[in-house]
Amino acid sequence: MTGPLQAGERVLLIDAKRRRHLVTLVEGGAFHSHAGVLAHEQLIGHDEGRTVRTTMNQRFIVVRPTLSEYVLEMPRGAQVIYPKDLGPILILADVFPGARVLESGVGSGALTTALLRAVGSTGHVTGYEIRDDFANRAQRNVEAYLGPDQPLRVEVRDVYEGIEERDLDRILLDLPEPWLVVEHAAASLRPGGILLSYLPTIGQVAKLREALEESPFGMAESLEVLQRSWHVEGQSVRPDHRMVAHTGFLTHARLLVPEAP
Ligand code: SAH
């Protein structure tokens, strides 16, 4: 979205202590906090990026959330994939405009949102999610950020039991036992297609790599992404004391065509 802020949109309000609040703009609405009241009318019809003041003269910056900010603030059922991993996932799985993608599980829809943006209006994402409450929550989260009528279909089903789609370009997995999906993925991807799996523990990675080893998949790689933020204030320029030291490992592989005997 560009242009002046409109009713129905979500905005991020950031206070002097850099605390963030995700707020949906409503005609006649108000945002109440310890810092006083902010009428939505002060925001609707105006540009993002402005600083506005509450009834208690406290400052808030108002911006439209980036995808990364939205993912961190949106309502969660399941744990989401963090922005530090979402970016590399899109590149490692080479998700392109027009791609036909299958994702499982869908969880809170963080990766789904990133995928939909990357495949664009000519692509398509199918999500398999075993829990219907998560499937619904994810669809609401996706639409709240990207708007309605996305090229997305979420099905409540167990991906371990098989994948119906054929000729897929990409398959992305964020679930505990991806080795149970390797055979289904080999049948559902087109030759050269990419499988990517996000896993929290290295034992799971080893087990997945073994399954990939015995499959038509090749060119497998596993890695983790470390992101260290820095404190920059005058002469005090150093790494922050705290960092998110671990989220998950990424494993990706390509579906190869077996050599003719
Ligand atoms: N990547 C998501 C989070 C996924 S959490 C995000 O970024 O928001 C893992 C999800 O996988 C959970 O919602 C869980 O219900 C689902 N799941 C676990 N096993 C599954 C299976 N066999 N088939 C489909 N979904 C499954």
Side-chain angles (χ1 to χ4, degrees):
M1 278 282 248
T2 56
L5 297 170
Q6 293 171 25
E9 270 195 77
R10 276 168 204 233
V11 294
L12 208 54
L13 298 176
I14 304 162
D15 68 16
K17 290 191 172 148
R18 296 202 186 183
R19 277 182 302 232
R20 292 145 180 270
H21 309 267
L22 191 63
V23 173
T24 304
L25 295 178
V26 191
E27 302 279 3
F31 169 71
H32 295 260
S33 77
H34 59 283
V37 182
L38 202 63
H40 290 193
E41 303 309 310
Q42 292 170 261
L43 311 174
I44 294 170
H46 297 281
D47 282 333
E48 60 175 317
R50 286 165 67 238
T51 298
V52 287
R53 292 199 178 244
T54 67
T55 47
M56 285 163 71
N57 206 28
Q58 297 296 305
R59 262 185 289 200
F60 278 89
I61 293 171
V62 52
V63 286
R64 290 188 171 99
T66 62
L67 196 152
S68 153
E69 287 162 337
Y70 178 66
V71 159
L72 296 177
E73 304 297 328
M74 73 186 194
R76 298 180 191 184
Q79 176 65 268
V80 301
I81 296 184
Y82 275 77
K84 101 170 157 69
D85 296 304
L86 288 174
I89 285 172
L90 294 179
I91 291 293
L92 292 169
D94 197 36
V95 181
F96 58 91
R100 293 184 60 236
V101 177
L102 181 118
E103 183 204 7
S104 189
V106 174
S108 307
L111 178 58
T112 320
T113 310
L115 287 171
L116 282 165
R117 253 219 194 159
V119 304
S121 56
T122 56
H124 191 269
V125 177
T126 304
Y128 284 9
E129 168 55 54
I130 205 162
R131 285 185 51 171
D132 63 343
D133 54 336
F134 285 176
N136 288 327
R137 157 61 55 81
Q139 289 184 91
R140 282 203 306 277
N141 281 344
V142 165
E143 290 196 0
Y145 191 71
L146 296 177
D149 305 322
Q150 293 298 317
L152 169 70
R153 189 179 68 251
V154 178
E155 297 180 17
V156 178
R157 58 192 286 174
D158 183 345
V159 75
Y160 298 155
E161 287 180 356
I163 299 174
E164 211 160 287
E165 285 67 23
R166 289 293 176 265
D167 254 351
L168 291 167
D169 296 303
R170 309 291 184 241
I171 294 180
L172 292 104
L173 302 175
D174 176 8
L175 35 68
E177 298 180 283
W179 47 90
L180 299 179
V181 186
V182 168
E183 222 181 286
H184 307 316
S188 291
L189 280 168
R190 56 148 171 100
I194 298 176
L195 173 72
L196 183 143
S197 166
Y198 172 94
L199 284 168
T201 74
I202 204 66
Q204 290 168 297
V205 173
K207 203 154 172 190
L208 172 61
R209 292 294 297 267
E210 266 171 39
L212 288 171
E213 209 51 54
E214 288 156 22
S215 80
F217 284 95
M219 302 167 71
E221 286 179 20
S222 299
L223 64 129
E224 62 183 314
V225 177
L226 304 182
Q227 174 177 308
R228 189 167 67 153
S229 63
W230 282 57
H231 169 91
V232 179
E233 198 178 7
Q235 295 305 301
S236 168
V237 180
R238 52 156 176 82
D240 279 329
H241 294 307
R242 290 163 194 267
M243 71 185 276
V244 177
H246 178 66
T247 53
F249 302 102
L250 306 180
T251 298
H252 57 98
R254 292 191 83 165
L255 184 64
L256 305 179
V257 180
E259 256 184 289

